Amino acid sequence: MTNNPTSPIEAVNAAIQNHNPFINAGIVKEQDIWRKKSPDLPTLNAHASDAVFRAIELVRTSQSSQDKVTSIAITAQQGVGKTHLLSRIRHHLEKEGGALFVYAGGNNYTDLNLVKYQFQQTLADSLSKTGSQLVMQWQEVAAAMANEGRSENSPTPAELVKRFDQAYANSLAKNKNLMNSLQKQIIKNKPNADPYILRAILWTLSETQVPFAIKWLSGEELAEFNADELGLPNPSKTNQDREAEALKNIQQILNLVSYYNPVVICFDEIDVKNNSTDDGLPTESVIANLVKILHDTLENSELGQGVVILTVMLPETWRDKVNSMPGGTPDRISKYTQRKPLELKYVSSDYMVELVTVWLQEYYSSKNLIPPHPLYPFEESKLREYGKVSKPSVREALRWCADNFKIYQEPLPSDPFERFELAFKRENEADIGDYIEDNSLIAEALYFGFDTLKGQTLEGVLIEEITNNIQHKSQNKPRSQDKIFINFKIIGSENAKPVKIGISVIQYSQFTLTAALKRLTDYETFELTRGCLVRSQSKIAQMKENSEAYKLLNELIVEKGGEHVDLIEEQIRPLIAILAVYQKRLHYQLKEDHIFDIIAKNKITLDNLLIREILSNPSGSMPTVDDEEDIQLIDNFLNSSNMSETDDSDELNELFS
């Protein structure tokens, strides 16, 4: 038996030239928690993740009501791996099971005066993510409810979801109601449960009703028709009403959910500087108080398998603020470790080698390549030296890898144009992952594209300045939270009139979408003449489920003359490529003026359709959503299908048989 031969060095080197896996690798975003699993070094900060898993086991097995809710504070400086640790915990639970996972990032709380209501929304949104049984976490709970008291051969959650709508329709055809029967059966064993919350959770088994059930569970109002179909109360409420009721709803949801599985709630980046209450309380104080309230409320609840609350912050936030809060707040935030936060560690020389080995192993495996040695193109001695001398954070270590992930290359062409041409080809063909979901990268590429056009007139607009200095008019200074939601402004003139276009790129987050649209429609506060939302057309249908976001988009387009611009991959990809060339100009031996001259001469940004669409006169029409004719065709097809019906008179037997 022989060892696998290494791949041709030319193929390995070509992969290294085309794709650097370490670029932006140290930045873990909220979508990474739920979607992709980054390479993980399990031994790095294992003391923290192991403590979380032990806490889950404690609350699951303890017979003491006071042990059914516990908490852990986690501290580390920026880039040391706080969110990466939460990602490790989430993906472990997704793969192995053992607990449901709720993630509350600091940017989810856009109005701290409504923190409980917004946490209810976060809870509903997190439980809509896929769990360990390949269905939504809500659906795992609903299936466990429906299967309660049945044999070991009960249908899986996926099977119940697949058959529920047909079984429900068949029950109605017999003048019976499967949902009423399920609710009646389950409520017998849970007399203290809110019957409507229980019913809404069961409705998540329905593939047609699940979005409306989750929307109701998040505290939002439904269309009257949808509420009637689901048999759920639907009174009109203000946000203040929702805030007043949220804690009771959260308690009821967690009581029901935790009966079947422990729940891990993660409050990440509580010290993000994005907001304050009307009383001037900053984010960290408000979230810390929320954790205390949750702890005290849940401790006296019927938590079957328990709740673990994780709160992540900077060391100075714990030391200077949280640890001195009154009313026993620190004890509630760090109960499991007895008021001693878990501190994350920096990368040592040994960890540096292991970290790079893990990343490169996944990188070369994804390329079907076998390198000359596992650390290629790095040298182990240099990795160890960097780890020993610098003692970097995980983010710093991965950034160093990004800067040094290179090989000796053939000399570049002597002509700047040929160098640019070569660089553009490489960057345009490079594998940069799921870039179409990366708000920051897309916004940065658009900013750079418009920056190359300063002084030129395009679509009737003279572009004078591009700025990401987004100022709140009443404060006369930039606020960090506004930069999150309005990426930049295009300042110029059109027909001798001033033009100020605010650009928001929002691809992946419903929370961010609503907050951004609120700012894009507030022309006076942010000194805009036009707001522009850049978002893929395919995601507009999702917005319709969020009534507040859809109303705000309608206000932006129809009432205020703003626009939605479809984000098309073929149009943004060249802009990302020229941005990458500019960022790597030293590597490609290109001067800044060479790059701008070549971009101008070749009209790369001048003729870009995405840039032109942003500057063109808005249509004033809302973007189209699902085509009604297509929906009718699908309905006709489904209604004409010969679907089998059972003669069993018991509608519950039909669901479970």
Side-chain angles (χ1 to χ4, degrees):
M1 187 171 178
T2 58
N3 293 329
N4 288 333
T6 60
S7 301
I9 195 64
E10 294 81 9
V12 176
N13 288 347
I16 292 171
Q17 290 173 347
N18 286 328
H19 178 209
N20 186 334
F22 297 102
I23 290 180
N24 295 327
I27 302 173
V28 182
K29 306 188 183 101
E30 179 175 345
Q31 67 264 36
D32 300 329
I33 297 280
W34 297 113
R35 294 182 183 175
K36 66 179 182 179
K37 182 180 184 297
S38 299
D40 183 31
L41 181 59
T43 54
L44 181 60
N45 291 314
H47 69 288
S49 49
D50 288 348
V52 173
F53 298 136
R54 288 195 300 271
I56 293 171
E57 187 63 14
L58 169 70
V59 299
R60 187 182 70 81
T61 58
S62 177
Q63 300 303 309
S64 167
S65 62
Q66 290 197 337
D67 285 340
K68 281 297 176 183
V69 55
T70 195
S71 57
I72 297 175
I74 299 171
T75 63
Q77 293 294 345
Q78 294 284 356
V80 174
K82 299 186 293 294
T83 306
H84 182 89
L85 177 76
L86 299 183
S87 178
R88 174 191 299 169
I89 294 166
R90 148 67 183 169
H91 288 103
H92 172 88
L93 296 175
E94 182 184 24
K95 181 181 178 182
E96 305 294 336
L100 303 175
F101 187 87
V102 176
Y103 178 81
N107 287 322
N108 285 357
Y109 299 96
T110 55
D111 186 347
L112 292 177
N113 298 296
L114 302 173
V115 68
K116 298 184 192 72
Y117 170 47
Q118 291 191 333
F119 178 68
Q120 182 183 346
Q121 292 181 304
T122 295
L123 180 61
D125 181 64
S126 288
L127 293 177
S128 71
K129 308 299 185 185
T130 302
S132 62
Q133 300 183 59
L134 304 180
V135 295
M136 292 180 186
Q137 296 184 105
W138 278 122
Q139 292 168 334
E140 289 183 13
V141 175
M145 285 182 178
N147 278 323
E148 196 169 354
R150 298 186 177 271
S151 69
E152 292 182 0
N153 296 322
S154 298
T156 66
E159 290 170 339
L160 283 180
V161 169
K162 185 176 181 180
R163 70 178 66 158
F164 183 89
D165 282 336
Q166 183 64 68
Y168 178 70
N170 290 345
S171 75
L172 295 181
K174 299 171 186 175
N175 293 319
K176 297 185 177 181
N177 189 305
L178 171 62
M179 177 56 67
N180 290 347
S181 298
L182 276 173
Q183 184 181 11
K184 183 179 178 181
Q185 171 188 278
I186 297 164
I187 206 76
K188 289 178 184 177
N189 300 320
K190 295 177 177 57
N192 295 326
D194 184 305
Y196 294 118
I197 288 178
L198 187 151
R199 186 181 183 91
I201 294 175
L202 287 171
W203 270 120
T204 64
L205 289 172
S206 166
E207 292 180 306
T208 57
Q209 302 291 5
V210 62
F212 306 109
I214 293 172
K215 186 174 181 179
W216 188 90
L217 286 163
S218 74
E220 291 191 50
E221 191 174 341
L222 298 179
E224 204 58 46
F225 169 76
N226 298 124
D228 290 344
E229 271 200 322
L230 271 59
L232 297 173
N234 193 44
S236 182
K237 299 175 184 175
T238 65
N239 281 344
Q240 287 69 32
D241 294 333
R242 294 187 175 100
E243 174 70 5
E245 297 175 4
L247 187 61
K248 174 176 64 70
N249 294 334
I250 292 164
Q251 180 183 9
Q252 282 284 340
I253 290 170
L254 290 175
N255 283 350
L256 279 168
V257 167
S258 71
Y259 183 83
Y260 303 97
N261 248 325
V263 183
V264 178
I265 301 172
C266 305
F267 289 96
D268 192 13
E269 296 182 318
I270 71 163
D271 27 30
V272 63
K273 306 297 182 187
N274 71 343
N275 219 326
S276 63
T277 64
D278 290 342
D279 297 330
L281 290 174
T283 307
E284 59 267 25
S285 299
V286 176
I287 301 300
N289 187 57
L290 174 62
V291 173
K292 176 182 181 293
I293 293 171
L294 286 175
H295 174 280
D296 292 348
T297 302
L298 297 174
E299 192 175 50
N300 298 312
S301 298
E302 300 173 5
L303 298 174
Q305 299 201 43
V307 172
V308 178
I309 304 174
L310 310 180
T311 312
V312 181
M313 66 195 84
L314 298 170
E316 53 267 31
T317 300
W318 171 266
R319 183 186 65 239
D320 301 335
K321 296 180 180 178
V322 175
N323 196 34
S324 60
M325 289 181 69
T329 299
D331 301 286
R332 268 75 162 189
I333 290 178
S334 191
K335 178 179 179 179
Y336 184 73
T337 51
Q338 298 178 326
R339 201 165 172 167
K340 295 178 181 177
L342 296 176
E343 295 184 27
L344 303 190
K345 300 175 181 177
Y346 287 88
V347 178
S348 66
S349 56
D350 286 340
Y351 280 138
M352 185 70 190
V353 173
E354 292 179 43
L355 184 68
V356 174
T357 300
V358 168
W359 275 81
L360 288 180
Q361 184 178 27
E362 180 163 316
Y363 171 72
Y364 287 124
S365 175
S366 71
K367 305 289 185 185
N368 294 315
L369 293 171
I370 301 175
H373 59 82
L375 294 172
Y376 185 81
F378 299 109
E379 296 176 18
E380 182 173 341
S381 60
K382 291 185 177 179
L383 291 173
R384 288 189 176 279
E385 181 183 5
Y386 174 71
K388 181 179 179 180
V389 173
S390 300
K391 295 181 175 57
S393 66
V394 173
R395 185 177 300 168
E396 289 167 341
L398 293 173
R399 187 183 300 134
W400 183 91
C401 290
D403 293 339
N404 292 277
F405 188 70
K406 61 184 72 169
I407 55 169
Y408 172 77
Q409 294 180 322
E410 293 297 320
L412 293 166
S414 58
D415 180 71
F417 178 80
E418 292 179 6
R419 288 202 297 276
F420 180 90
E421 195 173 45
L422 173 66
F424 180 79
K425 183 175 185 296
R426 283 181 184 171
E427 299 301 334
N428 202 41
E429 295 174 356
D431 180 359
I432 55 174
D434 192 14
Y435 67 89
I436 202 65
E437 296 294 319
D438 193 332
N439 294 347
S440 300
L441 177 62
I442 294 166
E444 192 176 1
L446 284 171
Y447 183 100
F448 179 73
F450 281 107
D451 199 45
T452 67
L453 295 168
K454 282 195 297 188
Q456 299 189 56
T457 299
L458 191 61
E459 297 293 329
V461 177
L462 172 61
I463 301 171
E464 297 172 359
E465 184 184 352
I466 315 298
T467 180
N468 57 12
N469 186 28
I470 308 301
Q471 293 199 165
H472 194 284
K473 190 175 181 181
S474 65
Q475 300 196 7
N476 279 328
K477 62 179 182 179
R479 299 195 310 173
S480 59
Q481 69 266 34
D482 297 326
K483 293 182 181 179
I484 297 170
F485 306 118
I486 299 179
N487 301 112
F488 62 91
K489 286 199 294 189
I490 303 165
I491 299 173
S493 60
E494 184 176 18
N495 297 326
K497 295 181 179 179
V499 171
K500 295 180 181 180
I501 306 173
I503 307 294
S504 286
V505 179
I506 307 293
Q507 280 291 86
Y508 62 79
S509 170
Q510 287 292 95
F511 292 107
T512 311
L513 173 63
T514 303
L517 285 168
K518 285 180 180 177
R519 287 163 173 80
L520 279 182
T521 53
D522 192 350
Y523 287 7
E524 182 179 355
T525 297
F526 296 101
E527 299 182 285
L528 304 176
T529 60
R530 188 196 308 174
C532 176
L533 173 69
V534 179
R535 183 176 172 88
S536 297
Q537 175 67 32
S538 61
K539 296 180 180 290
I540 294 299
Q542 299 173 19
M543 291 180 58
K544 200 168 187 182
E545 296 172 7
N546 183 332
S547 58
E548 184 179 7
Y550 198 77
K551 289 175 183 176
L552 287 167
L553 183 64
N554 185 76
E555 179 185 347
L556 174 69
I557 294 174
V558 177
E559 299 176 23
K560 299 205 167 178
E563 64 180 330
H564 157 255
V565 171
D566 185 13
L567 181 63
I568 299 172
E569 293 194 40
E570 293 78 9
Q571 296 174 6
I572 190 61
R573 190 64 181 85
L575 300 181
I576 293 174
I578 60 171
L579 171 65
V581 172
Y582 177 77
Q583 291 173 333
K584 300 177 186 177
R585 59 191 181 278
L586 295 179
H587 172 72
Y588 289 117
Q589 299 173 25
L590 287 165
K591 295 181 180 178
E592 186 172 323
D593 56 347
H594 286 156
I595 293 174
F596 277 72
D597 285 347
I598 294 169
I599 288 172
K601 287 177 182 176
N602 288 273
K603 299 183 178 180
I604 297 173
T605 50
L606 187 71
D607 289 344
N608 183 271
L609 295 178
L610 180 57
I611 284 178
R612 284 187 170 273
E613 183 63 25
I614 289 171
L615 291 176
S616 66
N617 285 327
S619 66
S621 301
M622 284 287 284
T624 56
V625 292
D626 292 333
D627 192 281
E628 293 296 333
E629 293 182 4
D630 289 343
I631 294 173
Q632 188 62 52
L633 285 173
I634 293 170
D635 286 345
N636 291 341
F637 166 72
L638 292 175
N639 291 334
S640 64
S641 299
N642 294 320
M643 296 183 178
S644 61
E645 293 190 11
T646 177
D647 293 329
D648 197 327
S649 60
D650 184 352
E651 59 272 19
L652 291 181
N653 286 340
E654 179 170 346
L655 177 63
F656 294 104
S657 61

